[in-house]
Amino acid sequence: MKVLVVGGGGREHAIVDALTRSASTREIVCTPGNPGIAAQARCVAGLQQPQALAELARAEGADLVMVGPEGPLAAGVVDELQRSGILAFGPTLAAARLEGDKAWSKAFMQRHGIPTARWRSFDVLPLALEYAQSQPLPLVVKDAGLRAGKGVTICQTQAEAVQALAAIFEQPQAQVVIEEFMVGQEVSVLAFADGLKAVQMPPSQDHKTIFEGDTGPMTGGMGVICPYPLGEADCQHIQAAVLDPVMRGMAAEGQPFVGVLYAGLMLTAQGPKVVEFNARFGDPEAEAVLPLLTTDLAEIALSCAQGRLQPQQVRFADSASAVVVLAAPGYPNEPVRGIPLTLPMPGVNQRLYHAGTAVRDGHLVSAGGRVLALQACAPTLPAALREVYDLAARVGFAGAQYRRDIGGRLGLTPEV
Ligand code: GLY
């Protein structure tokens, strides 16, 4: 089949890379893509609006469209594709609210008995301030809209809560979710969803703050280990307590969920609780998880779009994967663009995904906050970490920021 991939970051590079291993895929087109993706697929310059994307899919004769980022999903690209009779892997606008509207999402969890942190939502500042002041610290303040993973502040003091709330309410039509701070290990459980059922991928763990030791501002994600060591019983519990109720609830409310259902979970002393849902592959979780997929991504995505996914279609290698993100100096606030990049040839078990790169005057340069996502597979996580850090050491990127402690929350260090 011919597959059109929408997006141009590290996640979409990993999707395209997985499609190059798909026997059912004869052609891959990506919009807008990036210089790394261009080595593996034909890239078509940036189209953002749902109608323009649907026209492109029609003009290309795409059999399937896979939508990577949350932006086009929240703009209704899947609805537009469906109206045009084109199969799409991704949720409709209504189903994407699970990610795009955090207040709605929390209310959905409440309606369907899905475990999550205690919360309240507000659309005016004075009531939000009054509630925040009545709550114990630390406290989590979330912008209810889409903010590329950066709309969350963990407030250690009331002054920080006031500041975070004031910043959110500077925007028009702001809404905020204030929730209790949960303690535990954070795990990303992604699942392929066909509208009725969700089939899990191996659990992974992202590292969301910019600095080592889980300090500094939140980012889109700085590195991942996969699999996070959850037992079979834990995975079954997450299926029964979180994923299945989402699938049933969304279908019952008339908006069946198709695409990647991403449950961000906290493993608390009371069991797993949902931190947030995303309606797409995580980035950089996709870069860690997809290299382990041994079955055909396009077949899986097509089956999801047609509501006929079989669990046996989804198989992963029994090995480990690690991702380290190289970010530009100044990220996440003001990333420096235009820094020359020199890329090494990755080894057989290493991959180099482009996230924010561009070609200027014939030279590869940084063009975003997260610039490269480096990945390695190995039989164990310490070996995968060693491989990925070896690759990082060979990249030429002056001033690159990257965390040297990926896996450290589990006490893992690169094997020497
Ligand atoms: N890695 C976090 C996210 O994709 O939202």
Side-chain angles (χ1 to χ4, degrees), residues 7 27 134 204 274 294 301 306 313 398:
E27 192 177 346
S134 72
S204 58
V274 176
T294 55
Q306 294 176 327
Q313 287 179 269

Side-chain angles (χ1 to χ4, degrees), residues 149-240:
K150 290 165 238 158
V152 178
T153 311
I154 296 165
C155 306
Q156 304 291 344
T157 64
Q158 283 296 345
E160 280 172 15
V162 171
Q163 200 179 8
L165 289 168
I168 291 172
F169 281 101
E170 270 172 16
Q171 302 158 87
Q173 291 168 350
Q175 197 172 19
V176 72
V177 171
I178 302 177
E179 44 175 60
E180 92 185 283
F181 177 75
M182 296 189 285
V183 178
Q185 291 276 351
E186 209 170 337
V187 182
S188 304
V189 175
L190 280 61
F192 291 108
D194 74 352
L196 287 176
K197 57 191 166 305
V199 179
Q200 287 184 43
M201 303 178 218
S204 58
Q205 183 170 59
D206 190 9
H207 296 66
K208 290 198 175 125
T209 63
I210 185 77
F211 300 131
E212 287 159 22
D214 296 321
T215 56
M218 296 293 245
T219 70
M222 293 298 290
V224 173
I225 51 163
C226 177
Y228 180 92
L230 279 180
E232 189 53 38
D234 291 321
C235 292
Q236 280 173 14
H237 175 72
I238 289 165
Q239 187 76 31

Side-chain angles (χ1 to χ4, degrees), residues 6 86 281 311:
V6 177
I86 298 164
F281 276 113

